[in-house]
Each structure stands twice: as structure tokens, then as C-alpha cells.
């Protein structure tokens, strides 16, 4: 049905096509109901955390001794923690940190991954062998452990955590880009670009990399979910982000001491973490389907 | 085939060397002074120098790295813990069986639960059960191990009081750690068996079996099931990695004295030899597992086996195909 518009032979066809491709992707994304749920969860989280002060009356570090361990009620919808701080507020502000680190880590690791992967995939032969063997070594260390080692070396803090997680994710993003680049680099349009005298860098940046955007976006989105898991895990074991900065993993780590007597401090952060990861996973899966030209209907 | 296996085995050596250098370098350049921490406040410079010499910390990066490589690779000695002064190799040897045991049980649960569910959901494709299992897999994939561990501790340990919450006293204590570790794996195995099964049941030989009048159950068991083993092996290899890495969190929460808890102690106490040794050992096991998985592939799947034996006879690919465009870069 939508086809008719873009296929119509008109002078404007070329102008509309560029936009048509992306609106096509968007419409396919929104037709996927599960994917739409993912988009809604992610958008909701972003709005709630970015505009956190609008959704709560309390500052995230306001301690109030008489209000300790309050069960959820009208004034504290998710109860209060061991210092009498409003849990809902802390979770919103904590989400800021978690999301920010996760996105930052995803951007860094994909940025470096694109560079390594495209060089490796484009030049092939010896360059490829050397780079791939080096990545093999990095991948022999489980990513969580590598992140733990780097994080314990760099120290805690949002930026260091983002660095630790992104470094441990580089081999994986590099491999995705490499395989995409390898599948494109023998195409005729690349050959044509080389034949007309384009330099390697130009061929990579102008002709090959634009074609890797789809897997890159999908990988980055799914990566954010995985990063949230890694960040909260690191904070939970005492690396990552430390109190008083609220972070979901560190709220859970603090709450562990009260697990027997006060359930909200474990249950609510858990729900936030699960929903966030679920949201990004659904969103990423749906994006993959929407961007895959083979699944076009 | 044997040549391939040997080649892969030899390749593990440089990989482990690389891992060792990476891990050693990370901890070497970590700020902080282990000697000062060990001696406590109020030490004299002489005492400090003596302790540094005793531990070999007064030497340069390359000498220490060389010594560490020599000790680890030739003598299987990973040094001594800064905190307890016990041999790390001995400590790991004492703790690792527990972690391995949980890992093997995890893989077992993952296969035994995940595969039948996946096959079931493939047979009932688009049915209510299939939809429910799909949603369940999505949710299972989104729960970090420590979140599930804490929630199940509240439910089964505190509210219902069915299961013990700490240690490994009885067989019941193993349930939560194993289920916690297995959960994401179950989801993945389920999805992969479902996909494989859906592909398989559309094949001609299945149709043949059906037209012979075989019962559906027999067809699934005798003809289709074998094909599900390949994705299972793939997942198992990768998943064991995350079980070993995740043991640090699962063991800490459930109070299990395995390798993960040891590593956690090393992280908290900034005990770098312990961190190095544990990470090194886990990486070694990951390498071995990957090798085993690749070899198992070849043994189970005749198509892959054929690839290995055919490699010798073929003309080398890189020489024969189109010349790559990237020659003469300076043009």
C-alpha cells in the first residue's frame, strides 16, 4: 500500500526516496507490537529519568531519620531506604546514571569497534589476521571479568565504569562491523569507487561505513541493555558507581543487608533494572527486524 | 582432524600468554600501594624496602612480568596472596571443584529444561503455549543473575522459608544457585531449539517419515532431536563462560566458597595476585571449552567434518580469487 507512493514515477521520486526509506523502517518498527512495547518502555524511562525533578518532591540525598524503612504509601510511593531517603526519587536519579553510563559505554565501544572492524574487514589478509588474533586474546577473558579487572584498576566513578565496560565490549562490536564490511567490500560500487581513484579512507568512510549503520544501530541498542546489566553488576559488587551517587546496582548492594526485613529496597530496583533491559532488548530486536531488507513485506 | 585439534591446542599457548600479559599489565598499573596496605600505618622505610624485596615488588615491570610468566606457565605457581600469604594455586585448586560442579549442574539443567520447552514450542508454533514461552524467554533474558538471586532469596528463603539462603549445607542449598545461573541459558537454549526445530520439521526427510506413517512422537525423537544438539553445543560453550564469570556474583550472594567468592575477596581486598590468578584460570577454561565445542561440532555434524578433511585438497583461496582492490594504496 505504501509502495505506490515511492514507486510512482514522478520527478520527486528521487527526493522522497531518501526519507521514504527511514519512514519505512519506522512504520515497520511501529507495526511490530512487541517492538512498540520496547520503544514505549525506553521512552518512558528516558523521560522519567531526564526530567526526574518533575516527578518527585524529594531530593535524592535528603536523609530523614524518622522516615526510615517506610513501606510504600501516598507520600513515598516506593517507600524509603535505610537513611529515610525516598526510594522512587533515588531510582529515578539512579536511572540517569545507569542510562548515561550505558549509552556512553555503547558509543565508545562501537566507535572504536567500527574503526578496528572496518580496517580489519577492508584490508583483509595479514592486517585482518593480526587484528583478529589480538581480539581472540581479548575475547578469551569473559567480558564481565575484563570489566571487573579494568574497573578495579581505574577505580570507581561513572566515567571509569563506562570506560571499563566499553573496553570489554570492543571485540564484540569490532567483529560485527568486520563481517558486515567483508560482505560489502567486494560489491561493485566499492570497486567503482576504487577505480575512480578514491583513497582507502574515503572508500571506507564514504562508501562502506554508511552501509554498516543498520547492524551498528541494532548492536548499539542491544548493547545498552547488556551494559545496564554489567553496570548494575559492577556496582553491586562494589566497583562501578559508589554511594552517595544513586545507581540501581549500588542501591541493591546497600539493600542486601536488609533483605530479610524490608522487601521494597530489593524489589523496586530489581523491577527497574529488569524493565530497562527488557525494553532495550525488545527495542533492539524490533529494530533489527525493521532494518532487515529481507523481512520487508 | 587431529592436525586441526593439535593446531588449536598449540594456539592456546599464545592466547593464554596474551591474557596473562593483559591481566598482569592492568593490575601492574593500578594505583595504590599493596605494601603500605599490608604493613599498616607506622612502618619504617627499611621495613618497607625489606617487604618490597621479599615480594619482588622492587623490580621493574618486565622482570616481574617475566617471573610471573615463568612461574605460571612452567611451575603452575600463581604466587601468594597479599592478604593471607597462602599459595593462590592451592587455594584455587581447593575452591574450583565447587564452582565447576555448579557450572556442570547449570549446563545440565539448561539442556534438560530448555531443549524440551523449545521443541514443544516449535511443535505448537503460534499457539498459546508458544506465545507464553516466548514471553518467558524474553523476561528471563532481561533478569541479571544477581537480581534473580536476590528476588528468589526473598521469595523462597525469607517469605516461604523453603530453601536455605546461605552456604552449601544440604542438597537444597544447591537449587537456587543452579537455577539462578541456568535461567538465561534456559531462555537461549529454548529459543535456539525452537528455531532449529522449525527448520527441521519442514525438511523432506521428516515428510518422508510422516508419510511412512510414523507417529509424531517417534519422528521428533528419532529424526528431529539430533539436529537440536548442535545449537545446544554452541550455546553451552558460550554460556559456560558467563556462568564462570557470573559465579563471582552468584557465589557471593549465596555464600558459596568457590572460585567466584575467592575472586570477590581479591577485588574487595585489592589482592592483585588473587585477581590475576583467578582471571587467568577462568580464561584458560574458557579456551579449553571453546576448543572442545569446536571439536564436538565436527564429531556430531558430518557437514563440518567434511569441511576439515576437504581443506587439504583445495587450492588456497586467497591466491585464486579476484585480486583485492586494495593493492597499491598510494596511487
Amino acid at each position: 500500500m505504501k509502495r505506490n507512493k515511492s514507486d510512482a514515477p514522478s520527478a520527486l521520486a528521487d527526493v522522497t526516496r531518501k526519507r521514504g526509506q527511514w519512514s519505512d523502517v519506522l512504520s515497520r518498527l511501529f507495526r511490530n507490537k512487541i517492538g512498540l512495547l520496547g520503544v514505549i518502555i525506553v521512552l518512558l524511562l528516558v523521560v522519567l529519568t531526564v526530567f526526574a525533578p518533575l516527578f518527585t518532591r524529594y531530593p535524592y540525598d535528603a536523609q530523614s531519620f524518622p522516615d526510615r524503612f517506610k513501606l510504600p504509601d501516598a507520600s513515598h510511593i516506593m517507600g524509603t531506604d535505610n537513611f529515610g531517603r525516598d526510594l522512587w526519587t533515588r531510582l529515578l536519579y539512579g536511572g540517569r546514571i545507569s542510562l548515561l553510563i550505558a549509552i556512553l559505554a555503547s558509543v565508545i565501544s562501537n566507535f572504536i569497534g567500527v574503526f578496528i572492524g572496518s580496517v580489519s574487514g577492508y584490508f583483509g589478509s595479514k592486517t585482518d589476521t593480526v587484528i583478529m588474533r589480538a581480539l581472540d586474546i581479548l575475547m578469551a577473558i569473559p567480558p564481565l571479568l575484563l570489566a571487573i579487572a579494568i574497573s578495579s584498576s581505574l577505580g570507581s566513578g561513572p566515567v571509569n565504569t563506562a570506560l571499563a565496560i566499553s573496553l570489554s565490549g570492543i571485540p564484540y562490536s569490532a567483529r560485527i562491523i568486520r563481517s558486515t564490511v567483508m560482505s560489502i567490500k567486494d560489491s561493485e560500487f566499492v570497486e567503482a569507487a576504487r577505480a575512480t581513484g578514491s583513497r582507502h579512507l574515503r572508500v571506507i568512510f564514504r562508501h562502506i561505513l554508511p552501509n554498516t549503520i543498520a547492524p551498528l544501530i541494532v548492536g548499539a541498542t542491544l548493547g545498552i541493555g547488556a551494559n545496564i546489566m554489567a553496570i548494575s553488576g559492577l556496582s553491586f559488587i562494589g566497583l562501578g558507581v559508589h554511594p552517595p551517587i544513586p545507581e540501581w546496582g549500588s542501591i541493591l548492594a546497600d539493600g542486601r543487608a536488609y533483605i530479610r526485613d524490608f522487601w521494597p529496597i530489593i524489589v523496586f530496583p530489581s523491577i527497574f533494572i529488569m524493565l530497562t533491559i527488557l525494553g532495550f532488548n525488545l527495542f533492539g530486536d524490533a529494530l533489527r527486524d525493521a532494518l532487515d531488507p529481507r523481512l520487508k513485506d | 582432524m587431529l592436525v586441526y585439534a593439535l593446531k588449536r591446542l598449540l594456539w592456546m599457548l599464545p592466547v593464554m600468554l596474551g591474557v596473562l600479559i593483559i591481566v598482569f599489565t592492568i593490575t601492574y598499573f593500578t594505583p595504590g600501594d599493596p605494601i603500605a596496605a599490608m604493613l599498616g600505618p607506622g612502618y619504617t622505610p627499611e621495613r618497607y624496602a625489606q617487604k618490597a624485596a621479599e615480594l619482588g615488588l622492587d623490580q621493574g615491570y618486565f622482570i616481574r612480568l617475566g617471573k610471573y610468566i615463568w612461574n605460571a606457565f612452567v611451575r603452575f605457581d600463581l604466587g601468594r596472596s597479599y592478604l593471607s600469604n597462602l599459595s593462590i594455586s592451592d587455594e584455587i585448586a581447593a575452591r574450583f571443584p565447587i564452582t565447576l560442579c555448579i557450572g556442570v549442574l547449570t549446563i545440565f539443567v539448561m539442556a534438560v529444561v530448555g531443549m524440551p520447552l523449545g521443541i514443544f514450542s516449535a511443535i505448537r508454533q503460534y499457539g498459546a503455549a508458544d506465545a507464553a514461552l516466548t514471553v518467558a524467554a524474553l523476561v528471563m533474558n532481561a533478569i541479571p543473575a544477581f537480581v534473580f538471586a536476590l528476588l528468589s532469596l526473598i521469595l523462597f528463603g525469607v517469605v516461604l522459608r523453603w530453601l536455605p539462603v546461605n552456604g552449601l549445607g544440604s542438597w537444597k542449598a544447591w537449587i537456587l544457585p543452579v537455577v539462578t545461573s541456568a535461567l538465561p541459558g534456559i531462555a537461549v537454549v529454548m529459543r535456539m531449539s525452537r528455531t532449529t526445530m522449525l527448520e527441521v520439521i519442514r525438511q523432506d526427510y521428516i515428510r518422508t517419515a510422516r508419510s511412512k506413517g510414523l507417529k509424531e512422537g517417534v519422528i521428533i525423537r528419532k529424526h528431529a532431536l539430533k539436529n537440536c544438539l548442535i545449537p545446544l553445543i554452541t550455546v553451552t560453550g558460550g554460556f559456560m563462560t558467563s556462568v564462570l564469570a557470573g559465579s563471582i556474583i552468584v557465589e557471593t550472594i549465596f555464600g558459596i566458597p568457590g572460585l567466584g567468592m575467592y575472586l570477590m575477596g581479591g577485588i574487595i581486598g585489592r589482592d592483585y595476585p588473587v585477581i590475576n590468578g583467578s582471571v587467568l584460570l577462568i580464561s584458560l577454561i574458557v579456551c579449553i571449552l571453546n576448543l572442545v565445542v569446536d571439536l564436538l561440532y565436527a564429531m556430531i555434524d558430518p557437514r563440518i567434518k567434511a569441511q576439515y578433511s576437504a581443506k587439504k585438497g583445495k587450492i588456497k583461496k586467497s591466491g585464486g580469487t579476484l585480486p583485492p582492490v586494495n593493492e597499491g594504496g598510494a596511487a
Side-chain angles (χ1 to χ4, degrees):
Chain A
M1 312 161 271
K2 281 211 73 187
R3 271 298 160 77
N4 299 338
K5 205 173 87 187
S6 55
D7 284 350
S10 78
L12 283 172
D14 273 338
V15 185
T16 50
R17 174 158 296 159
K18 227 176 190 166
R19 227 195 57 208
Q21 194 186 351
W22 285 104
S23 63
D24 234 30
V25 167
L26 273 185
S27 78
R28 259 182 283 153
L29 182 66
F30 290 130
R31 246 180 293 152
N32 178 345
K33 282 201 189 93
I34 293 185
L36 193 61
L37 181 67
V39 176
I40 291 173
I41 294 176
V42 168
L43 279 182
L44 201 65
L45 266 164
V46 169
V47 171
L48 276 178
T49 52
V50 170
F51 302 105
L54 298 181
F55 297 101
T56 174
R57 291 183 284 126
Y58 306 94
Y60 67 85
D61 51 357
Q63 303 187 3
S64 156
F65 205 71
D67 292 329
R68 295 169 78 219
F69 296 124
K70 278 233 169 121
L71 285 169
D73 59 22
S75 59
H76 299 281
I77 58 171
M78 288 188 171
T80 57
D81 71 357
N82 48 323
F83 290 109
R85 296 173 294 195
D86 182 53
L87 211 50
W88 164 250
T89 311
R90 288 185 62 74
L91 289 172
L92 290 190
Y93 281 95
R96 270 187 182 178
I97 303 285
S98 300
L99 283 176
L100 204 68
I101 298 175
I103 293 169
L104 186 66
S106 191
V107 168
I108 297 175
S109 76
N110 279 299
F111 196 79
I112 302 176
V114 162
F115 180 75
I116 296 175
S118 55
V119 166
S120 182
Y122 180 75
F123 290 106
S125 64
K126 274 196 184 130
T127 320
D128 184 43
T129 312
V130 170
I131 293 178
M132 278 301 118
R133 289 298 89 104
L135 291 185
D136 273 354
I137 293 174
L138 266 183
M139 287 169 88
I141 311 174
L144 179 65
L145 285 190
L146 189 59
I148 285 173
I150 298 173
S151 178
S152 71
S153 168
L154 289 177
S156 63
V159 178
N160 287 344
T161 308
L163 271 180
I165 287 172
S166 56
L167 285 177
S168 61
I170 287 173
Y172 302 90
S173 56
R175 283 183 85 116
I176 295 174
I177 296 302
R178 169 179 175 264
S179 62
T180 318
V181 168
M182 281 172 79
S183 70
I184 308 172
K185 73 162 183 190
D186 290 328
S187 316
E188 271 127 18
F189 70 89
V190 175
E191 215 168 317
R194 286 293 300 144
T196 51
S198 301
R199 286 168 187 279
H200 289 307
L201 273 183
R202 189 183 158 83
V203 173
I204 293 180
F205 280 105
R206 288 297 295 269
H207 299 286
I208 295 185
L209 283 188
N211 287 292
T212 64
I213 283 182
L216 196 65
I217 292 177
V218 173
T221 313
L222 291 173
I224 293 174
N227 287 348
I228 294 271
M229 206 181 266
I231 295 160
S232 51
L234 279 182
S235 302
F236 182 72
I237 59 177
L239 302 164
V241 183
H242 275 314
I245 303 174
E247 199 279 337
W248 293 338
S250 61
I251 294 175
L252 274 179
D254 287 348
R256 240 186 96 196
Y258 313 103
I259 187 168
R260 281 168 191 280
D261 316 301
F262 190 66
W263 58 269
I265 203 166
I266 300 290
V267 172
F268 290 123
S270 300
I271 292 175
F272 266 78
I273 293 175
M274 281 178 338
L275 273 183
T276 312
I277 297 170
L278 186 69
F280 277 103
N281 284 355
L282 294 180
F283 184 31
D285 282 342
L287 263 180
R288 170 165 43 210
D289 292 347
L291 287 166
D292 191 342
R294 281 170 305 173
L295 293 177
K296 238 180 202 173
D297 38 7
Chain B
M1 188 65 207
L2 191 72
V3 177
Y4 173 75
L6 278 176
K7 247 191 209 164
R8 286 286 309 267
L9 210 59
L10 274 182
W11 167 237
M12 267 172 57
L13 221 62
V15 168
M16 288 319 295
L17 195 65
V19 169
L20 190 149
I21 293 175
I22 292 172
V23 177
F24 182 86
T25 309
I26 291 174
T27 47
Y28 180 86
F29 288 107
T30 300
D33 192 342
I35 304 169
M38 262 194 270
L39 292 174
Y43 54 82
T44 59
E46 294 83 40
R47 182 91 185 80
Y48 185 91
Q50 185 198 345
K51 191 80 186 168
E54 194 184 306
L55 294 167
L57 291 180
D58 51 348
Q59 284 147 328
Y61 170 74
F62 286 104
I63 296 175
R64 277 175 60 191
L65 177 64
K67 274 191 177 164
Y68 192 71
I69 292 174
W70 173 261
N71 283 335
F73 273 72
V74 182
R75 297 171 49 205
F76 301 113
D77 176 12
L78 295 168
R80 284 174 181 281
S81 155
Y82 286 161
L83 296 180
S84 65
N85 203 27
L86 293 171
S87 157
I88 292 168
S89 306
D90 293 349
E91 290 274 303
I92 288 180
R95 287 154 195 269
F96 182 61
I98 300 174
T99 305
L100 189 69
C101 214
I102 290 182
V104 171
L105 280 174
T106 300
I107 300 292
F108 179 75
V109 169
M110 177 185 98
V112 168
V113 178
M115 227 166 65
L117 285 180
I119 294 171
F120 180 71
S121 116
I123 298 170
R124 303 276 164 87
Q125 195 189 5
Y126 301 133
D130 183 28
L133 285 173
T134 304
V135 172
L138 283 170
V139 174
M140 280 193 255
N141 250 334
I143 306 182
F146 66 98
V147 169
F148 183 79
L150 291 174
L151 291 179
S152 57
L153 267 184
I154 290 190
L155 183 62
F156 296 109
V158 179
V159 179
L160 298 173
R161 295 184 182 279
W162 285 351
L163 299 168
V165 293
N166 207 306
L168 283 176
S170 67
W171 63 270
K172 276 186 182 169
W174 292 76
I175 296 177
L176 282 183
V178 169
V179 171
T180 304
S181 321
L183 210 63
I186 292 176
V188 178
V189 169
M190 200 163 92
R191 297 310 290 169
M192 285 193 87
S193 330
R194 179 179 180 273
T195 319
T196 320
M197 204 62 186
L198 284 176
E199 273 168 26
V200 170
I201 50 181
R202 285 186 178 75
Q203 302 275 330
D204 288 341
Y205 69 88
I206 298 288
R207 201 172 305 142
T208 312
R210 262 198 204 120
S211 59
K212 278 198 304 191
L214 283 183
K215 278 187 189 139
E216 198 62 30
V218 178
I219 296 172
I220 301 292
R221 272 200 306 277
K222 293 241 158 153
H223 295 275
L225 196 62
K226 253 190 195 167
N227 291 281
C228 287
L229 285 178
I230 291 170
L232 180 71
I233 292 172
T234 317
V235 179
T236 304
F239 188 65
M240 197 66 189
T241 310
S242 50
V243 171
L244 285 176
S247 70
I248 182 169
I249 285 168
V250 173
E251 286 181 6
T252 307
I253 293 180
F254 291 109
I256 299 167
L259 185 60
M261 206 186 202
Y262 187 56
L263 177 54
M264 182 73 178
I267 291 168
I268 292 174
R270 309 260 143 187
D271 200 345
Y272 298 114
V274 170
I275 302 179
N276 284 351
S278 312
V279 173
L280 200 62
L281 183 86
I282 292 176
S283 306
L284 177 70
I285 294 159
V286 169
C287 281
I288 294 174
L289 275 172
N290 285 339
L291 176 64
V292 171
V293 165
D294 281 0
L295 295 181
L296 272 180
Y297 266 152
M299 274 164 65
I300 288 180
D301 193 336
R303 286 168 298 185
I304 299 177
K305 199 174 193 173
Q307 257 177 31
Y308 287 135
S309 40
K311 245 180 197 165
K312 266 187 216 161
K314 266 187 192 166
I315 317 151
K316 266 199 171 174
K317 238 189 172 178
S318 54
T321 47
L322 278 170
V325 222
N326 54 22
E327 280 167 1

